[in-house]
Amino acid sequence: MLNVGLLLPAVINGVTMGAVYALIALGLTLIYGVLHIINFAHGSLLMLALYAAFFLYALGGVDPYVAIFVLMPAFFALGYVLQRFVIHPASHGRDENILLVTLGLAIIIDNLALWLWTSTTRTIDTKYSFEVVDLGVALIPLPKAIAFFGALVLAAILWWLIAWTDLGKAIRAVAREREGARLVGIRVEHIYAMTFGLGTAVVAAAACLLLPAFYVTPQVGYAFVLVAFTTVVLGGMGSFTGALVAGLLLGVVEALCGLYFGESLGQIGIFVIFILVLLFRPTGLFGARA
């Protein structure tokens, strides 16, 4: 058995990474909750945001944490345009077509990135990249600590927006009853695009929080989108609370599996949980039965 001196730091590191997983999953669950589709381009948009943050730093000296205030509006606009003028027209109102369109977008974005930037792994080296926070029981890299608190703050802002603003009320109305929302004057297509834009903006924020402690390649989105799908399923499809709790839980599971089985096998526990959830509780931790 491993001693507490090893377990506790692993758990704390897992929680910090799990908060970022939760943030990525929140964008996915928001889109699913309103549009009722899985966005296969989610990981590709995360990859694009990582490259955008990288080039802002490499070419303009813009710190990734400052880049959040640039990239969130930019990727919100990108998501809005993609949904309003690409995904919706190409899908002709059919959910199965939306799945195919987002899959096609993912393939195009990934291959375009590979052509433009090759498969070279890129990282950034900031003055705080190797600084640590001493918690007494564990040393946590400063970028991971910032990512943890940043993800929680952004999740709280997103929850407030959905729960208390007029846009949030419209989003919840469309998610609950699309035709009823249309009858009371809500522009459903506009709300769809706003929701997709918000989900994409959240992904851009997650990329900025990740970059100081991570890397970027054209394939980097694959691993994250698989974990995000698992997080959404474990938490319950469309559940904000579920996505947050599941993201933290999966971060801890990954850290402990990495400790026991080696870092390269860290995600094996995540996918074991995914299979168990599908077998024994397909509605997830906080999902409601149909």
Side-chain angles (χ1 to χ4, degrees), residues 76-261:
F76 171 83
L78 174 62
Y80 187 98
V81 169
L82 283 177
Q83 167 59 27
R84 193 68 185 269
F85 301 109
V86 178
I87 296 173
H88 179 69
S91 66
H92 301 289
R94 300 182 62 180
D95 289 350
E96 59 269 28
N97 289 351
I98 296 176
L99 294 175
L100 292 174
V101 174
T102 58
L103 179 60
L105 281 173
I107 294 171
I108 291 170
I109 292 170
D110 291 346
N111 283 278
L112 187 61
L114 186 62
W115 177 64
L116 289 173
W117 303 309
T118 73
S119 59
T120 302
T121 299
R122 290 176 167 87
T123 59
I124 64 171
D125 184 16
T126 65
K127 58 185 178 182
Y128 52 80
S129 292
F130 298 101
E131 292 186 14
V132 296
V133 177
D134 189 353
L135 300 179
V137 295
L139 296 174
I140 303 299
L142 180 59
K144 284 193 172 184
I146 294 173
F148 172 75
F149 288 107
L152 293 185
V153 168
L154 288 165
I157 292 172
L158 185 61
W159 173 83
W160 171 82
L161 188 151
I162 298 299
W164 296 103
T165 66
D166 289 340
L167 173 61
K169 292 175 183 178
I171 288 173
R172 286 185 284 123
V174 171
R176 181 65 63 88
E177 178 53 60
R178 178 177 59 188
E179 294 306 320
R182 197 189 302 275
L183 287 174
V184 298
I186 295 175
R187 293 186 296 158
V188 172
E189 287 73 21
H190 172 68
I191 295 301
Y192 277 176
M194 291 291 288
T195 303
F196 202 93
L198 283 173
T200 307
V202 169
V203 164
C208 294
L209 294 174
L210 270 173
L211 188 63
F214 211 68
Y215 63 89
V216 56
T217 69
Q219 297 82 26
V220 73
Y222 299 155
F224 280 103
V225 78
L226 287 173
V227 175
F229 284 150
T230 306
T231 303
V232 171
V233 171
L234 176 59
M237 303 294 281
S239 170
F240 269 48
T241 303
L244 186 59
V245 173
L248 296 174
L249 175 62
L250 291 181
V252 173
V253 168
E254 181 183 22
L256 292 179
C257 287
L259 188 61
Y260 277 98
F261 306 122

